Amino acid sequence: MKSLLTNSALAAGMYIAVSAGTASHAQAADLTLCWAAWDPANALVELSKDFEAKSGNKMHYEFVPWPNFADRMLNELNSGGKLCDLLIGDSQWIGGAAENSQYVKLNDFFDKEGIKMEDFIPATVVGYAEWPKNSPNYWALPAFGDVVGWTYRKDWFSRPELQAEFKKKYGRDLGIPKTWDELTDIAQFFQGREIDGKKVYGAAIYTERGSEGITMGAMNALYSYGFEYQNPKKPYDLEGFVNSPDAVAGLEEYKKLYDCCTPPGHSDAYMTQDVDAYKSGQVALQMNFTFTWPGINADGNVGGDKSGYFPNPAGPKGVQFAQLGGQGISVVAASDKQQEALDYIKWFGQPEIQQKWWKLGGYSALRAVVEDSSFASSQPYAKPFLDSMAIVKDFWAEPAYASLLQASQKRFHDYVVANQGSAKDALDGLVKDWKDVFEDDGKY
């Protein structure tokens, strides 16, 4: 999630196991943690003051805006640079980490320090830490759980006159949609409507072409309609799975939502544009990663009881998945301070630190936090977050993911936004593109 189109070359290295949480080294170290520049990074700075106090080490940070994050960090890794001792990198980068030498492999460190991957939400272990997928080989500790979900104007939905009008038109109550069809109906109901003297629109969705936006958006419809990346019984067998009739229907549904119900000029929108459209009161529904939910909840215009949250809805056959986001935290193999960096990871993974992480606005992936009896009621978005994390799928994490992503960006945007060809044309073309990438990558 949230990365630009850059070929990655990451991976395994040697590690030095150390004990953490105390000032265990004779001389304090300066550590640099690299991540994207966004609200969770600010929360991590506050959280990490505890590590500095306990370890004697000094934390420094390199936070890069999302549009430049992948280019900046992957260039740093690929060049063997020593800027970052710790990196919270995108989930798609893990594939490269298994085949090169730029991340520290953490298995022995985890074993020595008693860090168990079964203590974390399973989807985050597969998505953020493992390569190959579903194998016990770990290159990161799950750091920030995230997934695409939906925000809605709860105050608009609750208006008696709108409830009555919707019930008369659709024969059901105006509420959280259970299916994509119901979501589209709601978006159409609000499109062009006047509320409080202002013209409003149905839904802010992902349409951005330049990095990964439209892929991270369209996949939510495709997944729930039955799209598969490959034959479950034969890796890299794409024909009839990527472009199945169900997948075609899912892409058609996403275009229908774009055509009917987005605000004017919403043809190149991603996280920031969707938040802006929602906070400014333009739309009834917003697609976005769940990291945006704390900010929505705290917003003076749309926060509190004015907004609600729900997981990506199901398709017509009851299939329900959502696009995984989030990241793991890794030790950079080029770092001269691996001991101290591993100290930080052990400190960060402690249950009491993870509980503080959640309270500060970070999405903990530790089961002891999210499965606590108080978690679901701790914030209005806590349970929808849990429900969303239970239905995640992720984009390719192959070393060639950037080329795979570039192909889907072009195919989806050409069809959904630029109105070129049919959904079947787009997915047939995507099968060809992805086969070419895998052939170049030696998978055939």
Side-chain angles (χ1 to χ4, degrees):
M1 146 200 149
K2 311 185 202 62
S3 58
L4 281 179
L5 308 175
T6 310
N7 286 310
S8 58
L10 308 174
M14 297 298 293
Y15 76 92
I16 304 171
V18 295
S19 51
T22 62
S24 57
H25 307 297
Q27 185 174 354
D30 285 353
L31 287 173
T32 298
L33 186 152
C34 299
W35 200 10
W38 57 333
D39 288 346
N42 299 328
L44 189 63
V45 172
E46 182 65 27
L47 181 73
S48 297
K49 291 176 181 178
D50 178 86
F51 173 76
E52 292 179 311
K54 291 178 178 177
S55 69
N57 297 318
K58 177 65 177 176
M59 294 299 297
H60 302 271
Y61 305 94
E62 183 72 15
F63 296 150
V64 181
W66 276 117
N68 310 109
F69 178 56
D71 277 337
R72 178 71 179 87
M73 290 298 107
L74 294 179
N75 286 339
E76 178 70 20
L77 288 168
N78 296 343
S79 66
K82 295 182 180 293
L83 170 65
C84 308
D85 303 297
L86 292 150
L87 174 60
I88 302 182
D90 245 344
S91 58
Q92 292 98 335
W93 302 0
I94 293 295
E99 300 188 10
N100 298 287
S101 302
Q102 294 175 342
Y103 276 178
V104 169
K105 189 174 182 180
L106 298 175
N107 288 59
D108 291 339
F109 170 70
F110 286 168
D111 289 344
K112 181 179 185 298
E113 301 297 346
I115 298 172
K116 297 179 174 59
M117 288 295 95
E118 55 263 36
D119 290 339
F120 293 84
I121 300 171
T124 68
V125 176
V126 175
Y128 310 154
E130 288 181 354
W131 189 266
K133 296 300 182 185
N134 301 304
S135 74
N137 295 281
Y138 306 117
W139 312 94
L141 183 87
F144 189 86
D146 205 1
V147 54
V148 173
W150 293 84
T151 318
Y152 73 101
R153 287 299 300 264
K154 190 175 180 181
D155 54 340
W156 295 358
F157 279 43
S158 65
R159 294 189 178 192
E161 70 277 14
L162 295 183
Q163 289 180 333
E165 182 182 343
F166 187 89
K167 183 72 173 280
K168 182 178 180 180
K169 183 173 183 179
Y170 293 101
R172 63 176 187 275
D173 292 335
L174 175 57
I176 291 174
K178 297 181 176 64
T179 67
W180 266 84
D181 281 343
E182 290 182 3
L183 186 148
T184 303
D185 286 344
I186 292 170
Q188 287 180 316
F189 178 75
F190 281 101
Q191 184 73 3
R193 181 177 293 275
E194 185 174 298
I195 293 182
D196 297 333
K198 180 179 178 180
K199 188 175 182 179
V200 303
Y201 302 93
I205 64 173
Y206 291 166
T207 58
E208 181 260 6
R209 169 67 177 86
S211 64
E212 63 170 15
I214 197 164
T215 299
M216 295 295 101
M219 292 315 304
N220 295 280
L222 286 162
Y223 291 148
S224 291
Y225 271 73
F227 169 97
E228 295 280 357
Y229 281 104
Q230 58 190 339
N231 184 343
K233 299 179 180 179
K234 186 179 179 182
Y236 310 111
D237 178 17
L238 312 180
E239 189 69 45
F241 296 90
V242 171
N243 57 347
S244 69
D246 287 339
V248 169
L251 190 56
E252 289 173 342
E253 184 68 18
Y254 198 73
K255 178 172 175 55
K256 179 181 178 182
L257 185 59
Y258 170 74
D259 286 342
C260 79
C261 306
T262 51
H266 209 72
S267 60
D268 193 32
Y270 198 17
M271 296 175 283
T272 300
Q273 292 79 10
D274 280 15
V275 166
D276 289 347
Y278 188 80
K279 284 187 175 181
S280 64
Q282 291 184 62
V283 293
L285 299 162
Q286 178 210 190
M287 161 187 279
N288 225 321
F289 285 104
T290 59
F291 85 86
T292 62
W293 290 356
I296 295 293
N297 187 55
D299 186 78
N301 293 322
V302 299
D305 291 339
K306 293 181 180 179
S307 289
Y309 314 89
F310 62 91
N312 191 54
K317 297 181 180 180
V319 178
Q320 186 178 18
F321 291 104
Q323 175 60 48
L324 180 70
Q327 304 87 32
I329 183 169
S330 299
V331 175
V332 178
S335 169
D336 296 326
K337 302 163 188 172
Q338 290 184 17
Q339 291 183 335
E340 293 84 358
L342 289 164
D343 284 349
Y344 184 93
I345 286 183
K346 183 180 179 182
W347 164 84
F348 181 73
Q350 297 174 91
E352 61 269 26
I353 300 301
Q354 287 290 300
Q355 186 64 50
K356 291 178 182 177
W357 181 220
W358 166 246
K359 290 180 179 178
L360 286 171
Y363 278 90
S364 175
L366 189 68
R367 293 174 64 182
V369 174
V370 301
E371 293 178 1
D372 185 271
S373 59
S374 65
F375 181 85
S377 59
S378 63
Q379 296 289 352
Y381 48 80
K383 188 175 186 305
F385 167 71
L386 285 182
D387 292 342
S388 297
M389 289 300 299
I391 58 170
V392 294
K393 280 193 177 186
D394 199 11
F395 190 77
W396 294 106
E398 295 281 335
Y401 90 92
S403 297
L404 299 165
L405 182 57
Q406 189 171 19
S408 63
Q409 283 290 105
K410 182 180 188 308
R411 296 292 183 179
F412 292 162
H413 198 274
D414 283 353
Y415 167 64
V416 173
V417 176
N419 204 31
Q420 296 178 15
S422 67
K424 188 173 190 309
D425 293 336
L427 293 176
D428 287 346
L430 189 58
V431 169
K432 180 184 181 300
D433 295 341
W434 282 358
K435 282 184 176 180
D436 289 344
V437 172
F438 287 131
E439 285 175 0
D440 292 343
D441 209 36
K443 300 299 185 181
Y444 292 125

